[in-house]
Amino acid sequence: MLKHLSKTLLCNLLKFYNRVWSEQTFPSAWHKAIIIPVPKPGKDSSNPSNYRPIALTNCLCKLFEKMVNARLVHIIEKKEFNLRSEFNQSGFRRGRSTLDNIISLETTIRNAFPHKNHLVSIFFDIEKAYDRTWKYGILRDLFDCGLRGNLPIFIKNFLSSRQYQVRLGNNLSNTFSQEEGVPQGSVLSVTLFSIKINNILKVLPPSVSGTLYVDDLQISCQGKDMRFIERQLQVAVRRIISWSSDNGFTFSSDKTVCIFAVDVGPILIQKFQWRVNRLKL
């Protein structure tokens, strides 16, 4: 419907968006969402925790979110404000994909083998990443990065006073307030989450490298002495857990795994049962 509006109506819509932007207001209808629980494939559907909540929000707001997100991404990519550490996120960025992180890890492994170094990599899983993202933490990070004006105010209005109802079939639940987290299914939420988690790589010790793909974190360490690698990874794990505690995230120890890279001819990586709880996650 929006794509087929006349030029006059499109101009009126633009004027409306400009008023929302310049007057620093936010329509109350834009705060409301309908949550559709989508079952995770291969999971027990009788367990409520095995559903992924997808938020259906106002289409006018979603269009405006895309405009705001394009401006925010432009600022990030052009490094027009200080992120305090390089933006190492590969998810949902133009010209970036999972291949970037895979090739980066493979290159690190191949460079380790000629020096006869061991390499251990840990893959972390964040529990309910979007639902537990700290709203105030996002705004604080944007402020610390030097972002001022209407953009952070719009983001604050976008995140505050959100309400939702759950819909199953034709039945709607009561209305609830969303105290924390960012809306599922929002293009702006992805960018805000990426900014919030970006600084987790800054806490890693110099001997440990890491990559991010949205909420998927991978760290690795190499060396000739496995005891050195284990100590460095233990320091990294402690710092990651401390950072997560300060920023409202929780890692799943059951879904977090280690991979030990060994040079066995045509087989590059061999996975083995070295549980992460050995590193006291």
Side-chain angles (χ1 to χ4, degrees), residues 143-155:
F143 182 85
D144 291 342
C145 292
L147 196 62
R148 304 289 189 273
N150 290 331
L151 182 54
I153 292 176
F154 175 87
I155 293 173

Side-chain angles (χ1 to χ4, degrees), residues 25-254:
T25 57
F26 204 85
S28 57
W30 289 7
H31 283 128
K32 299 177 182 178
I34 301 295
I35 302 295
I36 307 296
V38 178
K40 296 180 181 179
K43 300 288 186 177
D44 181 12
S45 59
S46 63
N47 187 346
S49 63
N50 290 333
Y51 286 78
R52 181 174 286 106
I54 301 299
L56 303 182
T57 54
N58 187 284
C59 288
L60 290 177
C61 182
K62 288 170 71 173
L63 178 59
F64 198 16
E65 286 175 40
K66 289 186 176 181
M67 298 166 65
V68 173
N69 185 69
R71 179 172 296 189
L72 181 59
V73 169
H74 173 78
I75 292 174
I76 293 173
E77 298 293 349
K78 296 297 182 180
K79 299 181 180 179
E80 293 183 7
F81 69 94
N82 179 24
L83 275 173
R84 291 185 290 172
S85 61
E86 184 180 353
F87 197 53
N88 294 293
Q89 180 65 249
S90 294
F92 298 98
R93 295 178 68 188
R94 182 174 297 179
R96 302 287 292 271
S97 69
T98 52
L99 284 177
D100 291 276
N101 292 3
I102 293 173
I103 293 173
S104 175
L105 178 57
E106 182 184 6
T107 302
T108 303
I109 294 172
R110 290 189 181 276
N111 290 338
F113 288 163
H115 298 90
K116 303 198 180 294
N117 286 341
H118 303 287
L119 187 140
V120 177
S121 182
I122 304 178
F123 297 82
F124 293 86
D125 181 83
I126 300 179
E127 294 181 341
K128 303 184 184 305
Y130 279 64
D131 298 333
R132 293 179 176 174
T133 305
W134 188 22
K135 292 181 182 180
Y136 174 76
I138 293 174
L139 299 174
R140 185 189 64 185
D141 285 355
L142 292 175
F143 182 85
D144 291 342
C145 292
L147 196 62
R148 304 289 189 273
N150 290 331
L151 182 54
I153 292 176
F154 175 87
I155 293 173
K156 177 183 177 181
N157 292 334
F158 168 75
L159 294 174
S160 63
S161 305
R162 299 202 68 91
Q163 297 179 324
Y164 66 91
Q165 292 177 284
V166 180
R167 188 175 75 191
L168 286 175
N170 295 322
N171 299 316
L172 277 175
S173 71
N174 295 328
T175 301
F176 299 93
S177 297
Q178 183 177 351
E179 300 297 334
E180 286 299 338
V182 292
Q184 293 274 1
S186 167
V187 64
L188 185 56
S189 295
V190 176
T191 304
L192 295 177
F193 176 83
S194 298
I195 292 174
K196 184 73 203 88
I197 199 173
N198 184 64
N199 288 326
I200 195 171
L201 297 180
K202 189 179 179 182
V203 305
L204 299 177
S207 58
V208 178
S209 60
T211 57
L212 281 167
Y213 188 88
V214 193
D215 58 340
D216 293 323
L217 169 66
Q218 177 272 140
I219 65 171
S220 61
C221 180
Q222 63 171 298
K224 296 186 182 300
D225 186 353
M226 282 297 294
R227 291 175 298 178
F228 166 80
I229 294 175
E230 186 171 342
R231 286 195 302 270
Q232 293 302 303
L233 288 177
Q234 182 64 74
V235 171
V237 167
R238 288 199 189 102
R239 292 183 181 181
I240 288 172
I241 297 303
S242 177
W243 182 93
S244 302
S245 177
D246 293 340
N247 290 272
F249 293 112
T250 303
F251 286 96
S252 171
S253 58
D254 293 332

